[in-house]
Amino acid sequence: ALTDAAARAAAFHSSEQAMNLLDQAIALADDPSRQATLRLEAIRPARSAAALERGLAYADAALEYYAETGDTAGVRAATAGRANLYNSMRRADDALASIEATYLEIEAVGTVEDTAVAAETARSYMLVGRFDEALTAVDRMLGTAADLGQTELVLEGLTTKATALAQAGRVVEARVLFAGVIEEAERHGLVFTAARSLNNLISSSVDSASFEYLRTMGDRLLELAERAGLYAWADQVAADAAEALIETAAYEEATEMLDSRDPATLGADVAMHYQALRCSVGWLRDGSAESLEDAFAALAHFDAETDPQWRERWDDSKAWMHCVAGDWDEAFALGTSTSGFFSSGGFLQAVF
């Protein structure tokens, strides 16, 4: 009954409630094997709630049990779940470190656990810039996953493949794949997969698409993220959209976008990002030197406290703020070392 209630809670995007119900089921289960299975189930709502530490606790406990009992399939399932958590929280280096050895042990991808490991390893390779290895890992698992009826994993793998192709410069192939994945994912009710693919399509289109196209796609992504119950992701999508609006001098629209999110529910990193964006609007619209100083103070938070996987985003934002302040040498030094929207590949080239 508890697991059924947890499934219903997850279906209605009540991820915290789903984890609490599964915790109760784990506590009541006498069989360690059943406890491990329940912990694997709890990883998914932990991901949706952006509850990294709690999700890792589930994955690590399950992994410990499977390792002690010599259950190879269980080890692979728990390892894939652990890497998925890391990748979803933008910690690809940690994801790859936790999964690559397991992936390399697989001689032939033949089970659902094998396909999960290969798919998550491919995603890790893609996120750290090892595109050829990402494409190889995806191709190793797609056929088997299709034969096993793993529609969601096939579409996740194709999203990773499209993203790797886009980042390797093969943009036309990537966009065709993205479009197909989004259509199929929505047809099957796989909102998270559709949102992830749309997010990566937008990222691959920044340098060539019109602002109106990007804004339309951004609005659609925000709607998908909220439908999937990915509220932390939706908050970040809104911040990214506000950043793009600020860059085009649409200050009122940017403020409206920031105001659309509930500040009481923002995570610490996203809240600081919002603060920096609000300050930058104040400087650009009103010429307030105090706002500019506040923006730099907000961004300075990330120098000491943010995860390494987030650092590029904040360096990129700081490069843009140095442009605003007229500190061109500082802006160029930061901008040429990052690859985001306001880096030397985007805003800085336009300025210079």
Side-chain angles (χ1 to χ4, degrees):
L2 285 170
T3 54
D4 290 342
R8 288 193 296 272
F12 285 99
H13 312 310
S14 298
S15 300
E16 185 74 26
Q17 184 182 4
M19 287 187 287
N20 290 340
L21 289 165
L22 287 168
D23 283 343
Q24 293 178 46
I26 292 166
L28 293 172
D30 295 327
D31 180 6
S33 176
R34 177 61 176 161
Q35 290 178 331
T37 299
L38 291 169
R39 288 185 172 108
L40 289 182
E41 291 180 19
I43 292 173
R44 195 178 186 99
R47 180 195 70 185
S48 295
L52 177 60
E53 295 306 320
R54 192 168 177 180
L56 290 176
Y58 292 133
D60 289 345
L63 185 58
E64 181 180 2
Y65 168 77
Y66 291 129
E68 288 177 352
T69 58
D71 185 337
T72 300
V75 166
R76 290 177 180 176
T79 299
R82 195 172 196 274
N84 180 265
L85 283 165
Y86 276 131
N87 278 329
S88 298
M89 307 300 164
R90 307 191 187 204
R91 291 177 57 174
D93 290 336
D94 290 324
L96 188 58
S98 71
I99 199 171
E100 187 173 28
T102 301
Y103 168 71
L104 294 175
E105 291 172 356
I106 300 174
E107 294 183 4
V109 176
T111 68
V112 293
E113 295 81 14
D114 293 347
T115 56
V117 169
E120 209 57 50
T121 305
R123 187 180 179 194
S124 303
Y125 282 144
M126 179 271 293
L127 288 170
V128 301
R130 293 163 63 175
F131 305 130
D132 289 342
E133 290 164 288
L135 293 171
T136 298
V138 169
D139 288 340
R140 285 189 68 193
M141 54 75 60
L142 282 176
T144 301
D147 290 343
L148 293 172
Q150 295 176 284
T151 301
E152 182 175 7
L153 200 63
V154 169
L155 294 175
E156 286 286 340
L158 288 172
T159 297
T160 295
K161 183 171 186 173
T163 309
L165 287 170
Q167 294 184 355
R170 296 163 61 180
V171 177
V172 174
E173 296 167 78
R175 290 180 183 168
V176 171
L177 270 179
F178 281 133
V181 169
I182 294 166
E183 181 179 347
E184 281 298 298
E186 293 204 81
R187 189 168 71 85
H188 287 278
L190 301 171
V191 183
F192 174 84
T193 303
R196 180 183 166 227
S197 198
L198 179 58
N199 179 78
N200 294 4
L201 170 61
I202 292 170
S203 297
S204 72
S205 304
V206 163
D207 290 336
S208 58
S210 69
F211 174 73
E212 285 304 318
Y213 171 83
L214 294 174
R215 183 174 181 177
T216 299
M217 292 297 100
D219 288 344
R220 185 179 174 196
L221 176 58
L222 184 59
E223 184 266 332
L224 281 173
E226 291 182 327
R227 274 175 53 197
L230 302 169
Y231 302 116
W233 189 6
D235 290 336
Q236 189 56 61
V237 168
D240 292 342
E243 208 166 28
L245 288 165
I246 292 169
E247 195 270 339
T248 60
Y251 305 132
E252 298 303 325
E253 292 89 341
T255 301
E256 182 180 342
M257 179 64 71
L258 294 170
D259 288 344
S260 71
R261 314 307 298 169
D262 182 358
T265 64
L266 296 177
D269 281 349
V270 176
M272 295 302 291
H273 193 189
Y274 273 55
Q275 180 180 340
L277 290 172
R278 289 182 188 281
C279 293
S280 63
V281 168
W283 163 254
L284 290 164
R285 183 181 57 196
D286 305 325
S288 167
E290 181 179 348
S291 291
L292 185 62
E293 292 172 3
D294 288 344
F296 277 114
L299 289 168
H301 158 84
F302 300 105
D303 289 339
E305 298 188 27
T306 198
D307 290 327
Q309 294 295 324
W310 286 81
R311 189 175 303 281
E312 182 174 300
R313 175 184 295 276
W314 314 132
D315 282 348
D316 208 41
S317 293
K318 283 190 287 186
W320 176 67
M321 288 304 301
H322 279 297
C323 276
V324 172
D327 301 328
W328 306 117
D329 290 341
E330 291 287 343
F332 190 76
L334 278 168
T336 54
S337 67
T338 61
S339 58
F341 189 76
F342 297 116
S343 71
S344 59
F347 183 73
L348 290 180
Q349 280 191 350
V351 169
F352 293 112

